[in-house]
Amino acid sequence: MAELFVYGIILGSIIALGSIGLTLIFGILRFANFAHGDLMTAGAYIALFLVTGLFNWLGIPDKNLGFLSFGWRMIFTFPVSMMAVSMLAILLDRILYRPLRRKKSGNVILAMSALGASFIIQMSVLILWGADSLFYKPGVLRPALELPLEIKIRPDQIFIILVVFFSITALHLFLKHTKMGKAMRATADHPELARITGINTDRVIQWTWGMGGAMAGLGGILYGIDVQLHPGMGWGFILPLFAATILGGIGNMYGALVGALVMGVAQQISTAYILPTYKPAVAFILMILILLVRPQGIFGGRS
Amino acid sequence: MEIGGIVSYLVSLVILAGIYAVMTLGLNIQWGYTGLFNIGIAGFFCIGAYTSALITTPMPTGVYAQYVHQVFGLNLPFIFGILGAACVCGLIAFLIGVPTLRLREDYLAIATIGIAETIRVIFNNEQWLANGPRGLMGLPQPLQGWINPRDYNYLYVIIVLFILLVIYWAIERAIRSPWGRVLRAIREDERATAMSGKDIFYFKMQSLVFGSMIMGVGGALYAHYTKSISPDVFTPLYGTFIIWVMIMVGGSGNNKGAILGAFMVWGIWIGTKFMTDFLPYTLKARAPYIRFLLIGILLEIVLIRHPEGLLGEEKKVSKMID
């Protein structure tokens, strides 16, 4: 059980990278971005292209680092792939969502457009890479470390927790202490009021997509390292992502973090009792319970 | 012979487009008239198909019982299958509506995605329920003995179009009644409707339940057409997304538009199949993805350029007023 709890924290920290971006977009743009999971997929596959294609061609060494199952080549893909997903998110906003916002289309139309974007990303991945599950590096898994309480953990998983911890701390500092971060929080709080006080909300929206995209891309890469790459991986995250966002209260980044950890732990612990394929259903049931009991989320936020 | 082949191909195309038109009409009640954002159509599609299959097939006996597991098999006629499918879908819609219909509109969307995914996972994993991933086969077809099995589709197309017409007529009647006007009022302005003394939650619930019942009928029609169903048929792509594209292309809030959209998008979908036949061999395996990519792009173009669809909403609200 202790082991499942630790695996839950790992899964939850990956979900957190998606749900934090999702909750910021939900809060600032006020629509449900159904393509958010697929931004994670995009990040994972762009990294795959870099690792097996471009960086391979450039001749960046790929010797494993210490106990990890990957080397410098993989480390270099992180910033590049995250940037690329940022650009993709901003591009989607420019092409699809901004024209709809200008026309004052309802939130539901925007959400539908995002659903379309989700399928467009999935289909593009399927066309380019096919439907099979892929790995960054085929081969045997590194031996697991034995921790007390019979917890077996791979070095890659410790790396994942550390990366998530540092990136969320960095995002926290950015939101708390920079001018743009403050503007983003203000806009999430009250868009009209923010606009009146002279905040350039268009720029805020762009930054939100950029940050949300980068975090989602990172989450996708980490999931690819931990488990595998699959064209439907992001779609499979959609329920835990939204459940975490709703649990934490929409627009509340710290709520989304806690919500994600709860979802990760709940999904992993459930595998002790029911089939692992029911993981999305567990997130769904939890979400329904939250909607029934406390639809505004545990930390307030907007209902 | 050539001509005969083309005609029977067209008939099979019309059957499937007709079934999709039934689904689209169900969605039109929810989305077109009430503004409910249901993106779990695949779930109701699936439940409708399986319910009807379980009601109309006999419980497997003898050797079959070792290979085919199902929770029950009632061996009842087709019409009970259709009615049962509608009832079970209505019940599930009700259960989904209770926690979500009082909240903001996107919550219903998220919850319906959840129910669709959950239903698919359940049918995939629970062997005892309906034979797990292998699904059910050899479903009976209505009036099977009346006609040469080779020509059966000519009969089934009539059944599908007849049911489609009945549903179309019923919705047209309902939507021009006071009840239908309340639904449209909710879509336009919830608060004003509430102030006129209408119970928003109650009307939204009726719309969600009736729409989902019609989707269940669509699922049942599908099951008895293909005669075999398995959980992987009811994916978000074939079960939900394409139906949304149909209604957006045809025109939400217009039943003729919903039917037109279903036939057009299904035509485009089949038409692109012929186009991808010309692709080089290496790309052929991925042709369906290219076709779905095009359908996705079509949706985005419609949303941005022609959000009202081909046929916009009819402004006539009652048969009493011109």
Side-chain angles (χ1 to χ4, degrees):
Chain A
M1 199 55 91
E3 188 175 60
L4 283 178
F5 183 81
V6 172
Y7 292 166
I9 296 289
I10 296 165
L11 179 64
S13 59
I14 292 173
I15 296 173
L17 291 175
S19 67
I20 288 172
L22 183 66
T23 205
L24 288 176
I25 292 163
F26 220 153
I28 290 176
L29 292 148
R30 305 192 163 208
F31 79 94
N33 179 24
F34 289 114
H36 208 75
D38 299 285
L39 291 178
M40 297 173 81
T41 313
Y45 276 87
I46 292 169
L48 181 70
F49 163 72
L50 293 171
V51 170
T52 56
L54 187 65
F55 287 1
N56 191 7
W57 181 72
L58 287 174
I60 295 174
D62 197 25
K63 216 169 89 56
N64 287 353
L65 282 168
F67 288 109
L68 298 174
S69 71
F70 49 87
W72 282 111
R73 202 190 276 175
M74 192 75 219
I75 305 282
F76 286 132
T77 62
F78 280 92
V80 181
S81 174
M82 284 165 71
M83 280 293 282
V85 181
S86 273
M87 307 283 251
L88 174 67
I90 294 171
L91 191 75
L92 284 174
D93 185 60
R94 281 283 167 84
I95 301 176
L96 301 179
Y97 312 136
R98 200 164 70 174
L100 293 175
R101 277 202 301 277
R102 295 247 161 99
K103 281 168 62 181
K104 304 247 181 292
S105 305
N107 296 338
V108 179
I109 296 286
L110 274 153
M112 197 188 301
S113 179
L115 189 68
S118 157
F119 282 106
I120 289 177
I121 295 174
Q122 280 184 51
M123 290 306 126
S124 308
V125 169
L126 280 164
I127 292 168
L128 293 171
W129 283 281
D132 295 333
S133 295
L134 297 170
F135 297 90
Y136 287 121
K137 195 180 238 176
V140 283
L141 292 171
R142 294 264 125 187
L145 305 173
E146 295 259 6
L147 298 183
L149 290 169
E150 293 178 47
I151 298 169
K152 286 196 209 65
I153 190 164
R154 280 177 286 126
D156 288 2
Q157 293 174 315
I158 296 173
F159 172 84
I160 289 170
I161 293 185
L162 289 176
V163 168
V164 174
F165 178 76
F166 282 117
S167 52
I168 290 178
T169 312
L171 184 67
H172 164 79
L173 294 175
F174 169 83
L175 287 174
K176 270 269 141 62
H177 298 292
T178 64
K179 210 170 168 193
M180 180 47 74
K182 286 175 187 166
M184 274 166 74
R185 283 190 295 138
T187 314
D189 231 32
H190 202 306
E192 285 77 36
L193 207 59
R195 197 171 300 127
I196 295 167
T197 49
I199 291 171
N200 182 347
T201 41
D202 270 348
R203 247 171 71 81
V204 168
I205 287 172
Q206 219 170 64
W207 270 85
T208 311
W209 280 111
M211 302 292 284
M215 299 289 270
L218 178 62
I221 305 173
L222 293 178
Y223 186 76
I225 289 175
D226 190 26
V227 189
Q228 62 183 22
L229 291 94
H230 188 266
M233 61 193 263
W235 182 254
F237 268 119
I238 202 91
L239 288 175
L241 282 180
F242 275 103
T245 303
I246 293 171
L247 178 65
I250 287 173
N252 185 334
M253 177 189 140
Y254 309 101
L257 172 63
V258 176
L261 292 174
V262 171
M263 288 304 147
V265 170
Q267 287 192 318
Q268 291 291 16
I269 298 270
S270 76
T271 58
Y273 307 99
I274 50 177
L275 289 169
T277 36
Y278 278 121
K279 275 188 203 172
V282 171
F284 171 65
I285 302 289
L286 280 175
M287 183 168 74
I288 293 291
L289 288 178
I290 302 158
L291 288 180
L292 280 171
V293 178
R294 206 176 152 76
Q296 71 274 41
I298 35 175
F299 299 112
R302 271 192 302 274
S303 62
Chain B
M1 187 58 215
E2 257 308 85
I3 298 285
I6 293 171
V7 169
S8 71
Y9 186 76
L10 282 178
V11 165
S12 71
L13 214 149
V14 170
I15 291 176
L16 275 169
I19 293 169
Y20 270 114
V22 171
M23 309 291 294
T24 317
L25 281 178
L27 180 61
N28 200 25
I29 299 185
Q30 296 174 344
W31 164 250
Y33 292 120
T34 327
L36 300 176
F37 192 23
N38 172 3
I39 42 179
I41 306 167
F44 298 105
F45 203 158
C46 181
I47 286 286
Y50 269 102
T51 308
S52 185
L54 290 174
I55 289 177
T56 54
T57 50
M59 198 69 187
T61 49
V63 193
Y64 284 116
Q66 288 176 355
Y67 298 101
V68 182
H69 304 270
Q70 57 186 68
V71 62
F72 60 82
L74 300 180
N75 204 8
L76 289 171
F78 174 72
I79 185 76
F80 290 98
I82 296 258
L83 293 175
C87 291
V88 176
C89 280
L91 181 69
I92 290 188
F94 173 78
L95 293 177
I96 276 292
V98 170
T100 54
L101 283 180
R102 288 183 208 277
L103 306 170
R104 50 179 278 182
E105 52 211 341
D106 358 34
Y107 285 4
L108 176 69
I110 300 162
T112 46
I113 284 194
I115 196 77
E117 296 290 307
T118 307
I119 286 169
R120 195 154 52 95
V121 179
I122 290 176
F123 277 107
N124 246 324
N125 287 296
E126 302 302 326
Q127 279 286 341
W128 56 269
L129 183 63
N131 214 22
R134 276 176 299 167
L136 298 171
M137 276 177 287
L139 309 183
Q141 295 186 306
L143 310 178
Q144 221 164 1
W146 285 26
I147 195 165
N148 185 345
R150 228 181 37 193
D151 299 325
Y152 182 77
N153 280 356
Y154 295 104
L155 179 63
Y156 203 70
V157 74
I158 296 171
I159 297 176
V160 168
L161 291 180
F162 174 72
I163 292 178
L164 177 66
L165 272 178
V166 169
I167 292 173
Y168 169 80
W169 175 81
I171 299 177
E172 283 285 305
R173 284 296 296 262
I175 224 65
R176 278 171 176 65
S177 71
W179 180 79
R181 285 192 286 278
V182 175
L183 294 190
R184 293 204 221 186
I186 290 174
R187 185 194 61 192
E188 294 303 326
D189 192 336
E190 247 185 75
R191 229 171 266 179
T193 319
M195 291 211 299
S196 337
K198 305 293 178 198
D199 186 343
I200 303 287
F201 177 76
Y202 180 61
F203 278 95
K204 276 189 174 176
M205 181 63 94
Q206 292 183 22
S207 164
L208 183 69
V209 168
F210 287 145
S212 303
M213 287 171 84
I214 293 174
M215 290 172 187
V217 172
L221 286 174
Y222 179 84
H224 294 282
Y225 171 59
T226 59
K227 290 192 285 185
S228 70
I229 48 171
S230 63
D232 51 314
V233 177
F234 308 99
T235 56
L237 275 175
Y238 285 100
T240 300
F241 189 62
I242 203 164
I243 298 168
W244 269 103
V245 180
M246 286 166 175
I247 198 161
M248 295 312 292
V249 166
S252 1
N254 184 325
N255 289 319
K256 287 191 197 78
I259 295 174
L260 178 70
F263 278 83
M264 264 192 64
V265 172
W266 191 249
I268 294 173
W269 174 244
I270 296 298
T272 51
K273 191 174 168 186
F274 289 107
M275 272 161 57
T276 50
D277 280 348
F278 295 106
L279 282 174
Y281 183 73
T282 44
L283 274 176
K284 233 172 215 170
R286 292 175 186 178
Y289 311 137
I290 300 174
R291 291 159 65 205
F292 258 121
L293 184 71
L294 294 177
I295 297 274
I297 294 170
L298 175 67
L299 174 70
E300 301 291 0
I301 294 172
V302 170
L303 284 179
I304 295 174
R305 301 267 166 185
H306 303 284
E308 71 290 336
L310 282 171
L311 304 179
E313 189 180 353
E314 283 177 353
K315 290 297 170 208
K316 196 176 172 214
V317 292
S318 164
K319 61 181 181 338
M320 313 286 182
I321 325 165
D322 274 318

